[in-house]
Amino acid sequence: MNSQTYAQKTKLLNPIDDDFLKKMAEDILFCQEVIRTILEDDTLIVLESHTQHTIKNLQGRSVILDILCKSGTGRIINVEVQKGNGIDHQKRVRYHASCITANITDTGSKFQDIPDLCIIYISKLDFFREGKTVYHIDRIIRETGTIVENGLQEIYVNAANKDGSNTSKLMTVFAESNAYDDELFPVTSKRKRYFKEDEKGVAEMCAIMDEIREEGKLEGRLEGKEEMRLEMAENLLNMGFSISKIIQATGLPPKTVQAIADKLHQFTE
């Protein structure tokens, strides 16, 4: 894809798109403006901000976080943006919360010292279909209706519903190409305009899109190799090889091979 094609495609992107958000979020003041708006807290300070932050899970699925921030009070804030609607959004949030909590908690920490975590999940569509721009999910004692806290806050925001709130107006800037609001969201509007209209900004976006495209090719090759190893393990199990030898031959984790064996009802050793 040539630079002219990239430039044309860039003009169609918005903050709700992963590639565009990655560049927008390099500015800590952008992250702070977004979080302040959604949490309705003009005093909130973002001390640290990381975009595309990877949390490795050696025993399961790793995650790449869109934006991970630390506030002045020590609270960790994860902002995720999801344009599509083909996944289980709530379980994604649940999994992210568990990975982040495990990652930010020091060994030997007491449970009361686990940092508070807020996940802000922005989507283009209203998958709850309740007609609201913002949904705050609370933990409630079913028998009494009492709200109980455990340090995790879940906030779902969408760009589908227009209710006139500042958060709704921010979502319009996020999702619509020609939408800006320099008065309410000066940082967001300035950065969005820079990457969509400024020659240098468009060039930066083209470079990051090319980088992401190359990374995608590599990930595709790696996924292909992984599929080959899984297929090999299944074939070897069907041939009667032991789990230990299959682990040695494929390099797959023992629990992965065992799961395949269980599925095939193979229990040889």
Side-chain angles (χ1 to χ4, degrees):
M1 189 179 294
N2 59 42
S3 59
Q4 184 177 2
T5 303
Y6 271 139
Q8 293 171 346
K9 188 173 182 180
T10 295
K11 294 182 183 299
L12 301 176
L13 296 177
N14 293 292
I16 205 163
D17 296 290
D18 287 339
D19 297 352
F20 205 89
L21 181 72
K22 183 176 181 179
K23 294 301 295 181
M24 294 279 288
E26 289 177 357
D27 187 339
I28 193 171
L29 293 180
F30 161 75
C31 300
Q32 181 172 278
E33 185 171 84
V34 169
I35 294 170
R36 280 183 171 186
T37 301
I38 294 173
L39 296 186
E40 299 182 334
D41 183 358
D42 291 336
T43 67
L44 182 142
I45 301 296
V46 173
L47 296 179
E48 298 177 18
S49 177
H50 307 275
T51 181
Q52 296 295 295
H53 180 78
T54 300
I55 295 180
K56 295 290 186 181
N57 184 353
L58 299 180
Q59 295 183 328
R61 178 174 181 170
S62 299
V63 296
I64 300 177
L65 308 176
D66 288 336
I67 304 173
L68 186 67
C69 299
K70 183 177 181 180
S71 74
T73 62
R75 179 167 54 162
I76 305 301
I77 303 171
N78 170 220
V79 180
E80 289 296 312
V81 174
Q82 177 58 240
K83 188 176 180 180
N85 199 37
I87 65 171
D88 191 320
H89 301 280
Q90 292 189 78
K91 285 192 176 179
R92 181 182 180 185
V93 168
R94 172 187 163 191
Y95 189 74
H96 277 208
S98 63
C99 289
I100 295 170
T101 300
N103 185 256
I104 63 177
T105 304
D106 295 329
T107 302
S109 296
K110 296 180 179 179
F111 287 116
Q112 62 263 32
D113 296 329
I114 294 175
D116 289 346
L117 171 62
C118 173
I119 296 185
I120 298 172
Y121 193 88
I122 298 172
S123 60
K124 187 171 185 179
L125 304 175
D126 176 11
F127 57 86
F128 285 120
R129 299 180 182 178
E130 298 283 349
K132 304 295 183 181
T133 298
V134 181
Y135 299 96
H136 294 83
I137 307 300
D138 296 320
R139 297 176 71 244
I140 298 177
I141 299 175
R142 183 184 303 174
E143 289 74 15
T144 64
T146 303
I147 296 177
V148 292
E149 303 287 352
N150 66 355
L152 173 63
Q153 184 178 21
E154 294 181 39
I155 302 175
Y156 296 83
V157 184
N158 68 82
N161 299 311
K162 312 290 186 182
D163 61 12
S165 67
N166 284 350
T167 297
S168 178
K169 293 175 182 177
L170 176 63
M171 289 301 99
T172 297
V173 176
F174 259 61
E176 298 180 14
S177 290
N178 298 318
Y180 299 92
D181 195 323
D182 296 291
E183 183 176 353
L184 284 176
F185 319 115
V187 179
T188 301
S189 297
K190 182 178 179 179
R191 283 191 69 74
K192 178 181 174 180
R193 193 175 281 112
Y194 174 70
F195 290 118
K196 288 176 75 72
E197 300 176 7
D198 187 276
E199 184 178 343
K200 290 183 179 180
V202 172
E204 286 185 44
M205 273 302 308
C206 290
I208 195 67
M209 288 174 66
D210 191 49
E211 177 185 329
I212 290 171
R213 184 171 67 92
E214 291 302 318
E215 289 176 354
K217 288 182 179 179
L218 175 60
E219 288 174 1
R221 290 195 291 270
L222 292 175
E223 287 176 1
K225 290 181 179 179
E226 181 72 8
E227 289 178 2
M228 288 178 61
R229 292 198 296 163
L230 294 171
E231 184 177 351
M232 181 188 297
E234 185 172 332
N235 289 336
L236 291 174
L237 282 165
N238 284 327
M239 294 169 63
F241 280 81
S242 69
I243 288 178
S244 60
K245 287 191 177 298
I246 293 172
I247 291 169
Q248 185 177 15
T250 63
L252 290 169
K255 69 173 186 178
T256 301
V257 178
Q258 185 62 59
I260 298 172
D262 291 343
K263 183 178 178 180
L264 297 174
H265 302 290
Q266 299 282 340
F267 299 99
T268 58
E269 290 294 334

